[in-house]
């Protein structure tokens, strides 16, 4: 069996060697065929999306898993249906097994153990034998979920809708809050928990005791006055000039209304009752209800986080970022949490494969 790596019909030497190795160690022809049919689309996708398969990263394989999950297969009467978790696992197993062989054959750098596969003890029994054994299995991020996949997060998909939101006339504080959420992907609780000392908007911040250059904010746990909190551990997030300018407008407005106030919170009540106190989530709900009326569409604070994550991953109005970078920016503990946003790239990712109907991509035969 041969594996073709391009539309010109070039043979993928390493993949073909792997299939021949499987035959030499006694794997059945059906297994070899299934592995080849599941590996070939991954290699084609890697080429089409500008990835070097020899320098594979966990983020690459997580994104490939989203392609496999999002691409429907043929069900009863030829109608498309979602791929079963067991089938997704089989597709990912083929790719991981190829890389395990490639590592052993010195085709790739020997650094994949613990990255895309890890040892697991299999207890004595049908799969573990009489005494149990250690097997090398896919890391959790590459395993299919046994339950139904999480729906793609709701985001502001249409450019005109995003433009309307960003050009909406708002008072200075509210404009800064919307800009901050939209351009940084912060959770609303993280924004409300910000203290003024967390805002480092200078080109050089060493005078603030910070070695990070350029405008950014620090997300961390503070002794808040409004019940808000940062959900995860500390991190810093860069901000664009627009956020810096809207913050300056807000500070001028705040000083005009409150004078030199001592509240450490970035966001405080200015325009209604309880002036000078920390802004609460109830105030944010009220703001976004008014925004929703103005734009004639329901907008929630977390939609701005979903929108920024999707824009980062798809390269919309910004350089495209890889999954791991987005994970860090969003403050996710694992790639699995961030991968829900990769689902929104499903059409782009499938389009990166020159022929989405490669053998095996549209059906589950030969499982």
């Amino acid at each position: 069996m041969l594996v073709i790596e391009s539309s010109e019909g070039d043979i993928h030497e390493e993949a073909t060697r792997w299939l021949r190795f499987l035959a030499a160690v006694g794997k059945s022809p059906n297994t070899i065929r299934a592995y080849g049919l599941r590996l070939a689309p991954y290699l084609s996708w890697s080429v089409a999306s500008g990835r070097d398969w020899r320098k594979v990263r966990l983020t690459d394989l997580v994104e490939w898993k989203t392609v496999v999950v999002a691409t429907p297969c043929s069900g009863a009467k030829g109608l498309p249906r979602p791929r079963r978790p067991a089938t997704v696992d089989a597709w990912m197993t083929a790719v991981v097994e190829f890389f395990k062989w490639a590592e052993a054959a010195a085709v790739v750098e020997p650094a994949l153990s613990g990255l895309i596969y890890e040892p697991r003890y299999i207890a004595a029994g049908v799969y573990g034998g009489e005494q149990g054994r250690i097997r090398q299995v896919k890391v959790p991020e590459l395993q299919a979920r046994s339950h139904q996949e999480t729906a793609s997060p709701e985001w502001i998909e249409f450019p005109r809708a995003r433009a309307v939101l960003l050009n909406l006339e708002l008072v200075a504080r509210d404009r800064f809050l919307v800009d901050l959420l939209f351009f940084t992907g912060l959770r609303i609780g993280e924004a409300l928990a910000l203290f003024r000392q967390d805002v480092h908007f200078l080109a050089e911040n060493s005078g603030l005791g910070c070695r990070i250059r350029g405008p950014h904010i620090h997300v961390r746990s503070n002794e808040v006055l409004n019940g808000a909190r940062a959900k995860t551990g500390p991190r810093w997030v860069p901000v664009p000039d627009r956020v810096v300018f809207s913050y300056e407008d807000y500070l001028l407005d705040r000083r005009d209304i409150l004078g030199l106030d001592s509240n450490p919170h970035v966001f405080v009540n200015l325009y209604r009752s309880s002036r000078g106190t920390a802004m609460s989530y109830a105030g944010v709900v009220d703001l976004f209800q008014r925004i929703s009326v103005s734009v004639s569409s329901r907008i929630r604070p977390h939609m701005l986080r979903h929108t920024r994550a999707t824009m980062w991953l798809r390269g919309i109005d910004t350089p495209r970022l890889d999954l791991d970078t987005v994970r860090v920016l969003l403050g996710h503990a694992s790639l699995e949490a961030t991968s829900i946003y990769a689902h929104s790239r499903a059409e782009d990712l499938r389009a990166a494969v020159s022929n989405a109907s490669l053998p095996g991509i549209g059906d589950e035969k030969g499982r």
Side-chain angles (χ1 to χ4, degrees):
M1 184 174 186
L2 303 177
V3 176
I4 308 300
E5 68 173 335
S6 71
S7 58
E8 285 74 30
D10 297 326
I11 296 174
H12 193 286
E13 179 182 351
E14 293 84 357
T16 301
R17 283 175 56 196
W18 175 57
L19 297 183
R20 289 173 179 167
F21 165 80
L22 294 178
V25 297
K27 294 293 184 182
S28 72
N30 283 342
T31 296
I32 297 171
R33 178 179 180 275
Y35 273 14
L37 291 176
R38 289 164 179 159
L39 176 64
Y42 166 74
L43 295 172
S44 297
W45 172 78
S46 295
V47 172
S49 56
R51 291 170 167 84
D52 183 350
W53 68 268
R54 295 173 184 83
K55 299 178 181 178
V56 64
R57 300 173 302 172
L58 178 59
T59 53
D60 298 327
L61 296 187
V62 170
E63 291 195 26
W64 173 244
K65 187 182 79 167
T66 68
V67 177
V68 177
V69 170
T71 305
C73 60
S74 299
K77 300 181 181 180
L79 298 176
R81 66 171 178 80
R83 203 176 299 277
R84 297 189 183 98
T87 305
V88 175
D89 265 334
W91 278 71
M92 298 308 300
T93 294
V95 176
V96 170
E97 289 298 317
F98 167 68
F99 279 111
K100 286 164 64 176
W101 169 86
E103 185 177 35
V107 173
V108 298
E109 292 294 325
L112 299 181
S113 179
L115 178 66
I116 66 172
Y117 64 88
E118 61 188 9
R120 180 177 301 171
Y121 174 73
I122 308 299
V126 176
Y127 298 104
E130 293 184 4
Q131 299 180 349
R133 62 190 176 115
I134 300 294
R135 291 187 59 190
Q136 300 291 334
V137 300
K138 301 185 297 293
V139 295
E141 290 89 344
L142 301 182
Q143 297 175 18
R145 300 175 181 177
S146 59
H147 54 79
Q148 187 176 8
E149 291 291 324
T150 303
S152 297
E154 186 180 10
W155 66 293
I156 306 173
E157 180 177 0
F158 299 105
R160 184 178 180 278
R162 296 194 297 269
V164 169
L165 177 65
L166 294 177
N167 291 321
L168 194 64
E169 288 191 16
L170 298 170
V171 293
R173 183 205 61 190
D174 297 348
R175 169 46 57 201
F176 172 57
L177 177 59
V178 170
D179 286 352
L180 183 70
L181 296 177
F182 183 86
F183 288 101
T184 66
L186 258 62
R187 302 175 179 91
I188 185 58
E190 294 172 338
L192 292 179
L194 285 175
F195 278 10
R196 285 189 275 185
Q197 65 189 26
D198 301 326
V199 179
H200 295 178
F201 282 0
L202 302 176
E204 173 58 61
N205 296 287
S206 58
L208 302 174
C210 179
R211 297 180 179 179
I212 302 170
R213 297 176 62 98
H216 63 277
I217 57 168
H218 288 271
V219 178
R220 47 196 167 198
S221 297
N222 290 318
E223 295 295 327
V224 299
L225 306 174
N226 56 3
R229 66 185 181 92
K231 188 176 180 180
T232 56
R235 71 184 190 279
W236 67 274
V237 183
V239 303
D241 289 343
R242 169 163 176 154
V243 174
V244 176
F245 297 148
S246 60
Y247 182 59
E248 291 175 350
D249 290 341
Y250 166 48
L251 287 183
L252 291 173
D253 212 18
R254 178 169 173 166
R255 177 171 294 189
D256 287 344
I257 295 173
L258 300 179
L260 297 175
D261 71 291
S262 59
N263 193 316
H265 278 267
V266 169
F267 293 100
V268 297
N269 294 313
L270 289 183
Y271 308 108
R272 297 186 181 182
S273 59
S274 304
R275 286 185 178 179
T277 59
M279 188 178 186
S280 68
Y281 187 71
V284 175
V285 171
D286 178 68
L287 166 62
F288 275 80
Q289 286 177 343
R290 289 183 279 115
I291 289 175
S292 298
V293 171
S294 298
V295 301
S296 301
S297 178
R298 182 170 180 253
I299 303 293
R300 296 174 291 106
H302 217 61
M303 282 180 66
L304 305 192
R305 178 174 169 86
H306 296 329
T307 300
R308 177 49 47 188
T310 303
M311 293 175 72
W312 276 333
L313 282 171
R314 298 185 68 173
I316 300 174
D317 299 333
T318 184
R320 176 173 287 184
L321 303 181
D322 63 45
L323 202 61
D324 195 50
T325 301
V326 175
R327 177 191 68 80
V328 173
L329 289 169
L330 294 179
H332 285 159
S334 70
L335 281 172
E336 185 176 11
T338 315
S339 67
I340 64 170
Y341 299 106
H343 286 234
S344 63
R345 287 184 61 191
E347 291 185 6
D348 282 355
L349 294 170
R350 287 201 300 270
V353 184
S354 57
N355 183 2
S357 60
L358 286 167
I361 196 81
D363 62 67
E364 298 188 1
K365 296 178 181 179
R367 281 176 49 194

